[in-house]
Amino acid sequence: MAALWGRSLSCGGWFPPHQIVRHGSKAVTRHRKPMHFLRQKLLAVTEYIPPKPAIPERCIKAPKKEVQEPFGFEKLLRREVEVTFNENKMITVFQNNSIKSEDLKLLRHRLLKHDIRMKFFPNQILRSYLGNTKYRNLLPLFIGHNIIIVSKEPKAKELLQTVRNTTQISLLGACIEDVLFSRQGVVNYSRLPGMQVVRGEIVSGLTLMTSQTCQLLQSGPVHLAALLEQYLKQQSEAATGLKGPESLEQKEIQGSPAS
């Protein structure tokens, strides 16, 4: 065999290439027959429907809220918001209607002349802080782009006079000395007289009341003294009037024997 193989190669013969092909059997696929329509209706009618609980499950078990700890920058902003609300007596909220940066700088400079400052905080930080404080009624105002203008003393009149010519911001509300005010309420508050004028009026009213009290207390004794004086005067006049006729009678009696 080896000799034949060598002889064929030496003769220059050619063998065709061999390729192994595997012929498998065809897969048998059985398609499920569609269910009869009446059977489908019967299964749909007889399907088990579990009864609903009397109390919803969401009412029995409260959903667990994932508490996310704030980051360092959020803690810093929250602390700054807390300091701002605790140290200032007047806190006003304005809506920013696309004011230019140059106009904003000019407005801030004008407000600083009256010791009124402008603050910017994210609404998320403000809402998280105000939710558990006495300022929680201010939450509806912090929607969109807002500007917070604060001052340590109530200066509503100076604030409105400064902001009057700036139409790009509009007043939404304020909290002045722990009292909430609407826009019209802030305008009415600015028309009230200052503290010095009010104190002067109170002092003048108190002094007037004390002076009237002193007059009322002194009027009784003065009137009594005047009545007593008048009574003594009348008694003295009556006494002198009685002595005059008696002296005349005595003179007539003494003059009659002489005659």
Side-chain angles (χ1 to χ4, degrees):
M1 188 69 181
L4 293 173
W5 177 259
R7 190 180 299 175
S8 62
L9 290 175
S10 62
C11 294
W14 177 81
F15 292 95
H18 297 280
Q19 184 177 4
I20 299 173
V21 181
R22 183 177 180 182
H23 299 280
S25 60
K26 187 176 181 181
V28 179
T29 56
R30 295 180 180 180
H31 299 283
R32 184 175 294 180
K33 294 181 179 181
M35 191 181 297
H36 196 270
F37 179 69
L38 294 177
R39 187 177 181 184
Q40 292 180 9
K41 291 177 67 176
L42 181 61
L43 290 176
V45 171
T46 58
E47 184 181 2
Y48 173 72
I49 300 175
K52 294 182 180 180
I55 302 175
E57 187 177 357
R58 64 178 181 275
C59 297
I60 299 174
K61 296 181 181 180
K64 295 181 180 180
K65 295 182 179 179
E66 297 182 359
V67 180
Q68 296 181 356
E69 294 184 0
F71 298 101
F73 184 62
E74 292 181 359
K75 291 181 179 179
L76 179 63
L77 288 176
R78 186 182 178 91
R79 194 179 302 114
E80 188 175 354
V81 169
E82 184 177 358
V83 171
T84 302
F85 275 80
N86 291 335
E87 291 184 353
N88 296 283
K89 294 183 179 180
M90 186 182 73
I91 303 168
T92 56
V93 183
F94 286 80
Q95 184 179 2
N96 184 4
N97 298 322
S98 301
I99 184 172
K100 296 181 180 179
S101 58
E102 297 179 357
D103 297 338
L104 191 63
K105 291 180 181 179
L106 182 61
L107 178 62
R108 176 178 289 180
H109 178 68
R110 290 176 180 175
L111 291 173
L112 284 175
K113 292 181 179 178
H114 302 285
D115 197 14
I116 302 174
R117 303 186 181 277
M118 189 182 296
K119 301 286 184 179
F120 295 91
F121 297 106
N123 288 339
Q124 182 180 0
I125 303 297
L126 287 168
R127 296 179 73 87
S128 64
Y129 168 73
L130 297 176
N132 301 323
T133 60
K134 59 183 178 182
Y135 305 103
R136 56 181 173 270
N137 292 327
L138 290 173
L139 285 174
L141 302 180
F142 293 101
I143 298 174
H145 300 284
N146 297 320
I147 302 175
I148 302 176
I149 300 178
V150 298
S151 65
K152 294 184 178 180
E153 296 296 331
K155 297 180 180 180
K157 185 176 182 180
E158 293 82 354
L159 174 63
L160 294 179
Q161 288 178 353
T162 307
V163 183
R164 180 176 54 188
N165 297 328
T166 307
T167 58
Q168 290 87 355
I169 61 174
S170 56
L171 178 62
L172 299 178
C175 179
I176 303 175
E177 293 182 340
D178 298 338
V179 180
L180 295 178
F181 290 92
S182 61
R183 183 180 181 279
Q184 188 61 35
V186 176
V187 174
N188 296 335
Y189 182 85
S190 64
R191 294 173 182 173
L192 296 175
M195 291 298 297
Q196 296 181 356
V197 178
V198 174
R199 289 171 183 170
E201 292 178 354
I202 292 173
V203 170
S204 62
L206 292 175
T207 52
L208 179 62
M209 292 175 64
T210 53
S211 62
Q212 289 178 354
T213 304
C214 293
Q215 291 178 1
L216 290 173
L217 292 174
Q218 294 177 0
S219 62
V222 171
H223 186 60
L224 180 60
L227 290 176
L228 292 174
E229 186 178 357
Q230 183 68 22
Y231 177 74
L232 293 174
K233 187 176 180 181
Q234 290 177 358
Q235 291 294 330
S236 62
E237 288 179 355
T240 53
L242 291 173
K243 289 180 180 180
E246 289 179 356
S247 61
L248 291 174
E249 290 179 356
Q250 289 178 0
K251 288 180 181 181
E252 290 177 357
I253 294 169
Q254 291 177 1
S256 58
S259 58

